[in-house]
């Protein structure tokens, strides 16, 4: 949840991290999680928070068609060099959560090219999750790791809501889930 809070704070300021991975997440001695290395982050739009300086976008060395990031954690659209938005960070959050639960990356290959091919062509192996992982977490992972960005959770805040059980009553009633458009039973 602390990782989701950090991403949400960045997204509220119009910033997409684009390189979330375990190496960029640190646990402090006091138990707080810190998300680091916004080196390839992208400012989607200038944003001004109350009592804060304006964040402006500087000329970027990145552009559409350029692939930048860590292959095992890049979203399909990022892997293809397509435009990205905050749903890219939702994807990488799903990859990190999967790895936290299974002890292995969601997508891996022998080299960067085969890893990207895995991201683009394979679905994550949900059977690798430990048996005790709640169905709500499994469903959240599926929704984070949708290859089509239009079908993916749109906002990391929705991941926090799902974790808090905001959609559990809908699942229990067997109704269509509002975020994922799937019939739940």
């Amino acid at each position: 949840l602390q990782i989701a809070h950090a991403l949400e704070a960045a997204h509220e300021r119009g910033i997409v991290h684009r390189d979330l991975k375990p190496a960029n997440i640190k646990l402090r001695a006091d138990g707080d999680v810190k998300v680091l290395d916004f080196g390839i982050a992208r400012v989607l739009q200038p944003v001004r928070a109350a009592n804060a300086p304006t964040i402006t976008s500087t000329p970027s060395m990145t552009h559409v068609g350029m692939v930048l990031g860590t292959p095992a954690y890049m979203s399909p659209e990022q892997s293809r060099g397509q435009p990205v938005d905050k749903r890219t960070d939702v994807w990488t959050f799903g990859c990190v959560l999967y790895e936290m639960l299974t002890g292995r990356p969601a997508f891996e290959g022998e080299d960067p090219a085969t890893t990207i091919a895995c991201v683009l062509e394979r679905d994550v192996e949900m059977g690798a999750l430990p048996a005790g992982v709640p169905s709500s977490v499994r469903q959240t992972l599926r929704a984070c790791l949708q290859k089509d960005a239009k079908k993916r959770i749109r906002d990391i805040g929705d991941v926090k809501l799902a974790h808090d059980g905001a959609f559990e009553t809908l699942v229990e009633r067997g109704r269509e889930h509002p975020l994922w458009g799937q019939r739940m039973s």
Side-chain angles (χ1 to χ4, degrees):
L1 282 177
Q2 289 184 41
I3 297 167
H5 283 289
L7 288 175
E8 185 174 40
H11 293 172
E12 286 174 351
R13 290 167 180 78
I15 300 169
V16 177
H17 190 285
R18 298 196 308 173
D19 199 26
L20 184 69
K21 58 188 174 186
N24 290 339
I25 301 167
K26 299 296 178 196
L27 182 62
R28 294 184 351 181
D30 64 3
D32 282 346
V33 171
K34 293 293 178 188
V35 174
L36 308 172
D37 194 1
F38 281 77
I40 66 167
R42 180 107 192 191
V43 177
L44 296 178
Q45 60 197 13
V47 176
R48 182 168 180 133
N51 299 323
T54 301
I55 298 171
T56 57
S57 181
T58 57
S60 176
M61 292 174 36
T62 65
H63 51 77
V64 174
M66 181 176 231
V67 178
L68 206 58
T70 305
Y73 304 93
M74 290 191 307
S75 66
E77 60 274 13
Q78 186 177 6
S79 297
R80 289 183 177 105
Q82 297 172 338
V84 300
D85 59 24
K86 59 188 179 179
R87 292 173 294 185
T88 288
D89 286 347
V90 170
W91 171 275
T92 58
F93 173 84
C95 289
V96 169
L97 181 58
Y98 181 91
E99 189 166 339
M100 290 170 65
L101 293 169
T102 64
R104 67 181 202 192
F107 303 95
E108 62 184 332
E110 296 174 14
D111 54 48
T114 57
T115 301
I116 288 173
C118 288
V119 168
L120 296 174
E121 297 170 6
R122 295 186 190 156
D123 289 325
V124 70
E125 188 182 326
M126 296 299 286
L129 292 170
V133 174
S135 62
S136 61
V137 173
R138 290 173 186 273
Q139 191 61 31
T140 300
L141 271 173
R142 280 188 197 96
C144 287
L145 296 173
Q146 289 292 315
K147 294 197 185 294
D148 182 346
K150 293 176 184 174
K151 295 180 180 177
R152 195 176 307 143
I153 290 177
R154 296 184 183 280
D155 192 287
I156 196 71
D158 292 335
V159 170
K160 292 182 348 187
L161 289 172
H163 178 273
D164 292 340
F167 310 112
E168 290 298 312
T169 56
L170 295 172
V171 171
E172 291 168 10
R173 293 182 196 151
R175 293 172 48 191
E176 186 174 290
H177 196 286
L179 292 179
W180 304 304
Q182 298 175 357
R183 191 151 236 359
M184 309 302 286
S185 52

